[in-house]
Amino acid sequence: MKLLDRHEQLIRRHVADHRGFVVKNQGDGFMIAFPDPAGAVRCCIAVQQALGADGGGSDGIRVRMGAHVGTSVRRGDDLFGLDVAMAARVADLANGGEILVSDALRLAIGDADDFGFGAPRAVDLKGVPETQTVHAVEFSDVR
């Protein structure tokens, strides 16, 4: 429980620093929304770097992260829709310590000064009829 509490505090601190908000969380998983796609990726990088440095007291645990850009439907404090499902499916594909983004998010960001993207990967996502493209975010890992 202490590890989960430290993890949640780390996530919430970085989300606030990058102008995002936590929609919901269950256990160690979070649904987070951001006003801008580059801010979402920068937040993911900051969290991964903090975990890599064990600044968050992660005990060496590596988390998977995924991001997508699009629209959603808000019902109460929750978000729904195909783009929400896409973000979850992209995250499901990531390995521990990896950040994957959809091609739509990659295109929305364009060229960023402080991070890059790996080669595109064609993937099949559950519930999505067409093959999609994802990219791994390249950043300095402090491990």
Side-chain angles (χ1 to χ4, degrees), residues 56-102:
S58 66
D59 293 341
I61 294 172
R62 297 169 53 99
V63 299
R64 302 176 299 137
M65 296 181 161
H68 177 63
V69 64
T71 59
S72 60
V73 174
R74 185 176 189 145
R75 188 178 320 152
D77 291 334
D78 209 348
L79 298 176
F80 299 90
L82 179 58
D83 288 318
V84 173
M86 284 280 295
R89 300 294 187 265
V90 170
D92 288 345
L93 294 176
N95 294 313
E98 184 177 44
I99 304 163
L100 287 182
V101 300
S102 66

Side-chain angles (χ1 to χ4, degrees), residues 99-114:
I99 304 163
L100 287 182
V101 300
S102 66
D103 199 47
L105 188 137
R106 163 71 182 95
L107 293 171
I109 290 176
D111 294 326
D113 297 348
D114 49 347

